[in-house]
mmCIF file of all heavy atoms in Angstrom:
data_model
loop_
_atom_site.group_PDB
_atom_site.id
_atom_site.type_symbol
_atom_site.label_atom_id
_atom_site.label_comp_id
_atom_site.label_asym_id
_atom_site.label_seq_id
_atom_site.Cartn_x
_atom_site.Cartn_y
_atom_site.Cartn_z
ATOM 1 N N ASP A 1 0.819 -1.212 0.063
ATOM 2 C CA ASP A 1 -0.080 0.063 0.000
ATOM 3 C C ASP A 1 0.822 1.331 0.026
ATOM 4 O O ASP A 1 2.028 1.304 0.526
ATOM 5 C CB ASP A 1 -0.883 0.039 1.218
ATOM 6 C CG ASP A 1 -1.829 -1.114 1.192
ATOM 7 O OD1 ASP A 1 -2.362 -1.556 0.026
ATOM 8 O OD2 ASP A 1 -2.317 -1.576 2.337
ATOM 9 N N ARG A 2 0.293 2.308 -0.592
ATOM 10 C CA ARG A 2 0.824 3.607 -0.489
ATOM 11 C C ARG A 2 0.628 4.326 0.833
ATOM 12 O O ARG A 2 -0.159 3.912 1.638
ATOM 13 C CB ARG A 2 0.286 4.548 -1.682
ATOM 14 C CG ARG A 2 0.575 4.062 -3.005
ATOM 15 C CD ARG A 2 -0.085 4.853 -4.138
ATOM 16 N NE ARG A 2 0.012 4.356 -5.461
ATOM 17 C CZ ARG A 2 1.064 4.625 -6.202
ATOM 18 N NH1 ARG A 2 2.073 5.429 -5.794
ATOM 19 N NH2 ARG A 2 1.245 4.073 -7.340
ATOM 20 N N ARG A 3 1.458 5.419 0.989
ATOM 21 C CA ARG A 3 1.352 6.093 2.340
ATOM 22 C C ARG A 3 -0.053 6.518 2.639
ATOM 23 O O ARG A 3 -0.555 6.399 3.767
ATOM 24 C CB ARG A 3 2.277 7.321 2.278
ATOM 25 C CG ARG A 3 3.804 7.027 2.155
ATOM 26 C CD ARG A 3 4.576 8.210 1.973
ATOM 27 N NE ARG A 3 4.598 9.164 3.087
ATOM 28 C CZ ARG A 3 5.482 8.997 4.094
ATOM 29 N NH1 ARG A 3 6.478 8.096 3.962
ATOM 30 N NH2 ARG A 3 5.538 9.875 5.180
ATOM 31 N N ALA A 4 -0.854 7.007 1.682
ATOM 32 C CA ALA A 4 -2.144 7.410 1.900
ATOM 33 C C ALA A 4 -3.094 6.361 2.338
ATOM 34 O O ALA A 4 -3.932 6.435 3.213
ATOM 35 C CB ALA A 4 -2.778 8.141 0.673
ATOM 36 N N GLN A 5 -2.920 5.149 1.743
ATOM 37 C CA GLN A 5 -3.696 3.958 2.107
ATOM 38 C C GLN A 5 -3.293 3.498 3.553
ATOM 39 O O GLN A 5 -4.265 3.157 4.204
ATOM 40 C CB GLN A 5 -3.362 2.808 0.997
ATOM 41 C CG GLN A 5 -3.967 3.158 -0.350
ATOM 42 C CD GLN A 5 -3.396 2.191 -1.351
ATOM 43 O OE1 GLN A 5 -2.254 1.804 -1.517
ATOM 44 N NE2 GLN A 5 -4.405 1.415 -1.994
ATOM 45 N N LEU A 6 -2.047 3.524 3.857
ATOM 46 C CA LEU A 6 -1.625 3.126 5.148
ATOM 47 C C LEU A 6 -2.234 4.060 6.276
ATOM 48 O O LEU A 6 -2.750 3.616 7.224
ATOM 49 C CB LEU A 6 -0.092 3.158 5.277
ATOM 50 C CG LEU A 6 0.731 2.210 4.374
ATOM 51 C CD1 LEU A 6 2.185 2.418 4.538
ATOM 52 C CD2 LEU A 6 0.344 0.752 4.645
ATOM 53 N N ALA A 7 -2.163 5.333 6.050
ATOM 54 C CA ALA A 7 -2.744 6.399 6.875
ATOM 55 C C ALA A 7 -4.198 6.139 7.137
ATOM 56 O O ALA A 7 -4.767 6.082 8.169
ATOM 57 C CB ALA A 7 -2.372 7.803 6.476
ATOM 58 N N LYS A 8 -4.930 5.970 5.919
ATOM 59 C CA LYS A 8 -6.361 5.771 6.032
ATOM 60 C C LYS A 8 -6.780 4.575 6.814
ATOM 61 O O LYS A 8 -7.699 4.491 7.583
ATOM 62 C CB LYS A 8 -6.992 5.821 4.626
ATOM 63 C CG LYS A 8 -8.559 5.742 4.691
ATOM 64 C CD LYS A 8 -9.145 5.779 3.278
ATOM 65 C CE LYS A 8 -10.602 5.857 3.320
ATOM 66 N NZ LYS A 8 -11.260 4.680 4.166
ATOM 67 N N ALA A 9 -6.009 3.493 6.424
ATOM 68 C CA ALA A 9 -6.380 2.175 7.162
ATOM 69 C C ALA A 9 -6.130 2.234 8.712
ATOM 70 O O ALA A 9 -7.030 1.815 9.512
ATOM 71 C CB ALA A 9 -5.566 1.123 6.615
ATOM 72 N N ALA A 10 -4.965 2.873 9.062
ATOM 73 C CA ALA A 10 -4.856 3.007 10.533
ATOM 74 C C ALA A 10 -5.792 3.991 11.235
ATOM 75 O O ALA A 10 -6.217 3.799 12.354
ATOM 76 C CB ALA A 10 -3.350 3.646 10.703
ATOM 77 N N LEU A 11 -6.045 5.035 10.566
ATOM 78 C CA LEU A 11 -7.028 5.947 11.134
ATOM 79 C C LEU A 11 -8.464 5.371 11.262
ATOM 80 O O LEU A 11 -9.222 5.410 12.230
ATOM 81 C CB LEU A 11 -7.244 7.206 10.172
ATOM 82 C CG LEU A 11 -8.227 8.234 10.729
ATOM 83 C CD1 LEU A 11 -7.803 8.791 12.249
ATOM 84 C CD2 LEU A 11 -8.162 9.503 9.713
ATOM 85 N N ASP A 12 -8.886 4.573 10.143
ATOM 86 C CA ASP A 12 -10.230 3.939 10.269
ATOM 87 C C ASP A 12 -10.206 2.887 11.393
ATOM 88 O O ASP A 12 -11.206 2.798 12.047
ATOM 89 C CB ASP A 12 -10.389 3.177 8.878
ATOM 90 C CG ASP A 12 -10.822 4.112 7.832
ATOM 91 O OD1 ASP A 12 -11.045 5.270 8.190
ATOM 92 O OD2 ASP A 12 -10.782 3.737 6.695
ATOM 93 N N ALA A 13 -9.051 2.168 11.567
ATOM 94 C CA ALA A 13 -8.955 1.172 12.710
ATOM 95 C C ALA A 13 -9.066 1.958 13.961
ATOM 96 O O ALA A 13 -9.866 1.489 14.927
ATOM 97 C CB ALA A 13 -7.732 0.409 12.531
ATOM 98 N N ALA A 14 -8.375 2.997 14.103
ATOM 99 C CA ALA A 14 -8.344 3.794 15.316
ATOM 100 C C ALA A 14 -9.738 4.217 15.711
ATOM 101 O O ALA A 14 -10.148 4.158 16.947
ATOM 102 C CB ALA A 14 -7.351 5.002 15.199
ATOM 103 N N LEU A 15 -10.553 4.888 14.699
ATOM 104 C CA LEU A 15 -11.768 5.305 14.988
ATOM 105 C C LEU A 15 -12.832 4.197 15.447
ATOM 106 O O LEU A 15 -13.577 4.219 16.387
ATOM 107 C CB LEU A 15 -12.415 5.910 13.735
ATOM 108 C CG LEU A 15 -11.803 7.273 13.324
ATOM 109 C CD1 LEU A 15 -12.404 7.687 11.988
ATOM 110 C CD2 LEU A 15 -11.859 8.332 14.426
ATOM 111 N N GLU A 16 -12.674 2.920 14.902
ATOM 112 C CA GLU A 16 -13.493 1.894 15.211
ATOM 113 C C GLU A 16 -13.039 1.339 16.639
ATOM 114 O O GLU A 16 -13.953 0.943 17.328
ATOM 115 C CB GLU A 16 -13.397 0.712 14.154
ATOM 116 C CG GLU A 16 -14.374 -0.439 14.422
ATOM 117 C CD GLU A 16 -14.421 -1.382 13.283
ATOM 118 O OE1 GLU A 16 -13.915 -1.121 12.131
ATOM 119 O OE2 GLU A 16 -15.061 -2.482 13.549
ATOM 120 N N ILE A 17 -11.705 1.348 16.927
ATOM 121 C CA ILE A 17 -11.319 0.851 18.219
ATOM 122 C C ILE A 17 -11.861 1.783 19.340
ATOM 123 O O ILE A 17 -12.336 1.346 20.389
ATOM 124 C CB ILE A 17 -9.800 0.879 18.367
ATOM 125 C CG1 ILE A 17 -9.310 -0.296 17.442
ATOM 126 C CG2 ILE A 17 -9.315 0.706 19.879
ATOM 127 C CD1 ILE A 17 -7.814 -0.288 17.228
ATOM 128 N N SER A 18 -11.915 3.094 19.091
ATOM 129 C CA SER A 18 -12.366 4.022 20.031
ATOM 130 C C SER A 18 -13.962 3.784 20.270
ATOM 131 O O SER A 18 -14.435 3.840 21.405
ATOM 132 C CB SER A 18 -12.160 5.456 19.529
ATOM 133 O OG SER A 18 -12.565 6.364 20.476
ATOM 134 N N GLU A 19 -14.682 3.640 19.174
ATOM 135 C CA GLU A 19 -16.116 3.372 19.345
ATOM 136 C C GLU A 19 -16.368 2.065 20.053
ATOM 137 O O GLU A 19 -17.311 2.080 20.948
ATOM 138 C CB GLU A 19 -16.643 3.348 17.942
ATOM 139 C CG GLU A 19 -16.714 4.581 17.176
ATOM 140 C CD GLU A 19 -17.133 4.578 15.606
ATOM 141 O OE1 GLU A 19 -17.416 3.369 15.215
ATOM 142 O OE2 GLU A 19 -17.255 5.571 15.071
ATOM 143 N N PHE A 20 -15.702 1.059 19.697
ATOM 144 C CA PHE A 20 -15.722 -0.226 20.439
ATOM 145 C C PHE A 20 -15.571 -0.055 21.906
ATOM 146 O O PHE A 20 -16.311 -0.579 22.752
ATOM 147 C CB PHE A 20 -14.816 -1.369 19.862
ATOM 148 C CG PHE A 20 -14.733 -2.453 20.797
ATOM 149 C CD1 PHE A 20 -15.729 -3.298 21.053
ATOM 150 C CD2 PHE A 20 -13.489 -2.714 21.418
ATOM 151 C CE1 PHE A 20 -15.607 -4.417 21.923
ATOM 152 C CE2 PHE A 20 -13.207 -3.679 22.328
ATOM 153 C CZ PHE A 20 -14.335 -4.538 22.507
ATOM 154 N N THR A 21 -14.445 0.625 22.261
ATOM 155 C CA THR A 21 -14.067 0.670 23.664
ATOM 156 C C THR A 21 -15.137 1.421 24.409
ATOM 157 O O THR A 21 -15.576 1.067 25.611
ATOM 158 C CB THR A 21 -12.840 1.551 23.762
ATOM 159 O OG1 THR A 21 -11.671 0.707 23.013
ATOM 160 C CG2 THR A 21 -12.370 1.557 25.285
ATOM 161 N N GLU A 22 -15.745 2.525 23.784
ATOM 162 C CA GLU A 22 -16.730 3.298 24.597
ATOM 163 C C GLU A 22 -17.979 2.374 24.674
ATOM 164 O O GLU A 22 -18.645 2.337 25.782
ATOM 165 C CB GLU A 22 -17.160 4.502 23.708
ATOM 166 C CG GLU A 22 -18.151 5.424 24.402
ATOM 167 C CD GLU A 22 -18.374 6.748 23.575
ATOM 168 O OE1 GLU A 22 -17.648 6.938 22.692
ATOM 169 O OE2 GLU A 22 -19.330 7.390 23.993
ATOM 170 N N SER A 23 -18.366 1.647 23.675
ATOM 171 C CA SER A 23 -19.618 0.800 23.735
ATOM 172 C C SER A 23 -19.295 -0.288 24.688
ATOM 173 O O SER A 23 -20.367 -0.784 25.436
ATOM 174 C CB SER A 23 -19.841 0.242 22.293
ATOM 175 O OG SER A 23 -18.871 -0.590 21.898
ATOM 176 N N LEU A 24 -18.125 -0.894 24.869
ATOM 177 C CA LEU A 24 -17.863 -1.918 25.875
ATOM 178 C C LEU A 24 -18.146 -1.496 27.333
ATOM 179 O O LEU A 24 -18.771 -2.185 28.007
ATOM 180 C CB LEU A 24 -16.376 -2.354 25.708
ATOM 181 C CG LEU A 24 -16.011 -3.528 26.647
ATOM 182 C CD1 LEU A 24 -16.652 -4.768 26.501
ATOM 183 C CD2 LEU A 24 -14.372 -3.727 26.455
ATOM 184 N N GLY A 25 -17.695 -0.214 27.520
ATOM 185 C CA GLY A 25 -17.968 0.382 28.803
ATOM 186 C C GLY A 25 -19.407 0.555 29.172
ATOM 187 O O GLY A 25 -19.841 0.551 30.385
#
C-alpha cells in the first residue's frame, strides 16, 4: 500500500477501536 492507504487504514481502525471501547464500557 501507498502512504495514503496506510494512513487511512490506521485511522479507520483507530476510530473503530475508540467506538468499540466506549460501547464496551
Side-chain angles (χ1 to χ4, degrees):
D1 296 331
R2 297 177 182 273
R3 295 172 68 91
Q5 293 172 302
L6 297 175
K8 184 179 186 303
L11 179 60
D12 288 345
L15 294 174
E16 189 170 346
I17 290 169
S18 184
E19 292 171 357
F20 160 69
T21 305
E22 185 175 351
S23 67
L24 178 62

